[in-house]
Amino acid sequence: QASGGKLLYAKGFLGQNVPNPANGNTTIAYSVPDDGTNGEIRVTDSQGRFIKTYRVSGQGQLTIPKTLLAAGVYNYSLYNNGQLVQTKQMIISR
């Protein structure tokens, strides 16, 4: 079991998107440990419908273009080797 989130952070880190709410491109910081051979950030709408998956590795930033998402509330989740690490929420305004 995770204790204070330490186990989860050992599997990766997902930052809050900036800016939030966003009316243009938005950027998400992430970190996937070196053993994370299958890092993904999955974007879903507020009903849980799949929008897009981005493959990620190491440490970096993912920019989601303003053309991908209509105005609304979305969730984005970091997966490491198929295991959910963290989920955050973003708001897109126009």
Side-chain angles (χ1 to χ4, degrees), residues 40-60:
E40 295 180 340
I41 294 177
R42 300 178 190 171
V43 180
T44 59
D45 68 13
S46 59
Q47 284 77 44
R49 290 183 294 241
F50 170 79
I51 304 291
K52 186 160 178 72
T53 297
Y54 295 91
R55 298 294 301 252
V56 295
S57 61
Q59 188 171 6

Side-chain angles (χ1 to χ4, degrees), residues 6-7 16 21 37 41 45 50 56 61 71 85 88-89 92:
K6 292 179 184 175
L7 179 61
Q16 184 63 54
T37 58
I41 294 177
D45 68 13
F50 170 79
V56 295
Q61 294 186 332
V85 176
K88 302 270 183 164
Q89 189 175 77
I92 304 298

Side-chain angles (χ1 to χ4, degrees), residues 11-44:
K11 296 179 181 298
F13 170 78
L14 185 64
Q16 184 63 54
N17 65 300
V18 178
N20 189 38
N23 62 4
N25 294 350
T26 190
T27 303
I28 301 166
Y30 65 85
S31 177
V32 179
D34 290 340
D35 66 349
T37 58
N38 203 11
E40 295 180 340
I41 294 177
R42 300 178 190 171
V43 180
T44 59

